[in-house]
Amino acid sequence: MLPWFTENFGNPASRSHVFGWQASEAVEVARTQVAQLLEVNPKEIFFTSGSTEGLNMAIKGLAESSSHRGKHIISVATEHHAVIDPLKWLEKRGYTIDYLPVREDGLIELDMLKQAIRKDTLMVIVLWANNETGVIQDMGAIGAVCSEMGVPLVSDATQAFGKIAVEPKKCHVDIVSVSAHKIYGPKGIGALYINQSLKPKPDALIHGGGHEEGFRAGTLNVPGIVGLGEAAAICKESIDSSSGAIRAFRDHFEGTILKALEKVSINGHPKERLPSVSNIAVMGVDSQAVMSRFRTKLAISSGSACSSAHPAPSHVLLAMGLTAAEAKSSFRISFGTPTTKDEVDRAAQLFIDAINTERAISPIWQMIQEGIDLS
């Protein structure tokens, strides 16, 4: 990325001089790199400022271009707020949103999806892999249902991108949004895949030029785009090996916790989940109180980063059937490519010590120990 910050300042939309040509070439290389990771045509990749913008473009834009067909949209109760909030915005404008429930393991029922689709359904929106629990939906089966019934399928693949195979064409997914920072690229840049054969395509939300085939006006962030492309290329080469190592660290961490502490469980499907995310419920503690004991030493959370400032229990865990108390006693832990065995061991010990200290002064835990029914 550095030369595009310090030496090459060309605007890729400037076609009358060499500086613009160089920038344009760099953008197209990155477009190809992202397309190769997603196994799609580079012409189907459009750059955004990140997944939130991409999802707004997809959802609002498709609702606008397809409103003549109806105003019914289907999504899932465990979606990220980057989907939920645009849907709330559309709901105020007369659209009807049906949120599919999930099972205790976080997966949706295909039969329920089939029953929910109507003649006036404009789109189905399903999170590829949940950002809080790591639960991976069966996108191939979901895509087959939507394709058969002629309804576009939109997916937020932010958390899955670069961690597992995300292949929208193979899975019949029409629009996919991703962000660079989830694969060690820069923050503030992302990409949107739009199936070439999708008709109608989303209307543009940002106007002011013919950038990105008219889908998104505005001068392109060349350094960011180059960073996203390079990160995608690295993932393409290392996704299998890095995922295996990360999964081993996650399993080791969970095994250590489950062995050292009683009344602990893993939230989400035991197998259909990302290798990089663990969501652990620890009975008898408050997650915020526990995390206050190691904030300067261990960086974990009780939910997504976007909602970490809000004390309310996770809507994802509530949708999976957990009580408010159980959701507030749950922790989200992430593992990545730079993670080491020593870090996992130290993190597990910090976590165990904090839980034991908190339980020692908790009247709730004392009642649980005495067998008192708190339900």
Side-chain angles (χ1 to χ4, degrees):
M1 294 170 62
L2 289 178
W4 305 99
F5 279 119
T6 59
E7 300 169 21
N8 305 326
F9 300 108
N11 183 337
S14 298
R15 305 299 170 85
S16 58
H17 52 70
V18 67
F19 305 106
W21 302 339
Q22 291 172 338
S24 179
E25 182 181 0
V27 166
E28 295 312 310
V29 168
R31 198 185 307 276
T32 298
Q33 290 169 320
V34 174
Q36 287 174 341
L37 183 55
L38 293 173
E39 300 285 350
V40 300
N41 190 318
K43 293 182 179 179
E44 298 174 306
I45 297 297
F46 304 92
F47 293 112
T48 67
S49 65
S51 279
T52 298
E53 183 193 341
L55 290 164
N56 273 264
M57 288 171 61
I59 296 167
K60 295 177 183 176
L62 200 54
E64 183 70 19
S65 66
S66 306
S67 60
H68 61 282
R69 293 177 48 194
K71 290 195 170 184
H72 178 240
I73 299 171
I74 298 170
S75 191
V76 182
T78 52
E79 292 291 315
H80 190 280
H81 280 287
V83 166
I84 293 174
D85 290 353
L87 289 178
K88 286 181 179 178
W89 186 87
L90 287 173
E91 205 165 14
K92 292 178 182 178
R93 284 150 183 82
Y95 288 80
T96 300
I97 318 297
D98 283 342
Y99 293 95
L100 298 176
V102 296
R103 305 184 318 212
E104 288 185 359
D105 60 10
L107 296 175
I108 68 169
E109 294 281 3
L110 286 178
D111 288 342
M112 197 168 289
L113 170 60
K114 292 177 183 177
Q115 294 169 10
I117 295 176
R118 311 183 326 204
K119 289 183 178 180
D120 62 339
T121 302
L122 300 184
M123 72 185 92
V124 172
I125 308 165
V126 180
L127 184 61
W128 203 298
N130 192 272
N131 55 297
E132 293 188 28
T133 63
V135 171
I136 304 168
Q137 298 292 343
D138 188 347
M139 295 306 295
I142 295 168
V145 170
C146 293
S147 178
E148 180 184 346
M149 304 188 76
V151 179
L153 176 58
V154 178
S155 184
D156 172 4
T158 310
Q159 198 71 32
F161 182 56
K163 313 291 195 314
I164 58 173
V166 175
E167 300 175 354
K169 284 194 181 298
K170 181 179 179 180
C171 295
H172 302 287
V173 183
D174 296 290
I175 302 180
V176 168
S177 188
V178 301
S179 282
H181 70 276
K182 292 296 184 181
I183 56 171
Y184 306 106
K187 297 174 182 66
I189 189 71
L192 194 65
Y193 157 78
I194 303 177
N195 187 347
Q196 279 184 313
S197 62
L198 178 64
K199 293 181 181 179
K201 290 182 172 57
D203 282 352
L205 297 189
I206 303 174
H207 304 93
H211 309 82
E212 294 301 273
E213 302 297 326
F215 279 116
R216 182 184 187 267
T219 303
L220 294 178
N221 172 6
V222 178
I225 289 170
V226 168
L228 168 56
E230 185 63 21
I234 293 170
C235 277
K236 180 71 174 175
E237 295 296 322
S238 62
I239 186 170
D240 292 334
S241 59
S242 63
S243 292
I246 293 169
R247 180 180 290 103
F249 287 144
R250 182 203 67 188
D251 292 346
H252 176 65
F253 182 89
E254 290 179 351
T256 303
I257 300 303
L258 291 170
K259 185 177 180 180
L261 300 171
E262 57 181 321
K263 303 290 184 181
V264 175
S265 58
I266 307 300
N267 295 321
H269 196 283
K271 294 182 179 179
E272 299 302 324
R273 57 188 177 119
L274 294 172
S276 54
V277 178
S278 178
N279 198 294
I280 301 177
V282 182
M283 189 179 291
V285 300
D286 179 83
S287 59
Q288 296 299 323
V290 171
M291 290 188 296
S292 69
R293 297 185 178 279
F294 51 59
R295 289 192 194 279
T296 61
K297 299 178 181 179
L298 178 60
I300 66 173
S301 66
S302 57
S304 67
C306 299
S307 60
S308 62
H310 302 287
S314 161
H315 73 282
V316 172
L317 299 181
L318 294 179
M320 291 168 58
L322 275 70
T323 65
E326 290 169 338
K328 284 192 170 187
S329 69
S330 295
F331 302 83
R332 176 187 184 273
I333 300 98
S334 295
F335 306 83
T337 303
T339 305
T340 66
K341 173 67 162 47
D342 179 59
E343 288 175 334
V344 174
D345 287 336
R346 284 190 289 132
Q349 194 58 56
L350 284 168
F351 188 79
I352 291 166
D353 291 345
I355 295 294
N356 285 331
T357 301
E358 192 64 25
R359 279 179 168 178
I361 61 172
S362 168
I364 298 294
W365 178 244
Q366 298 304 319
M367 287 188 282
I368 292 172
Q369 291 288 84
E370 294 170 12
I372 299 173
D373 184 3
L374 302 178
S375 59

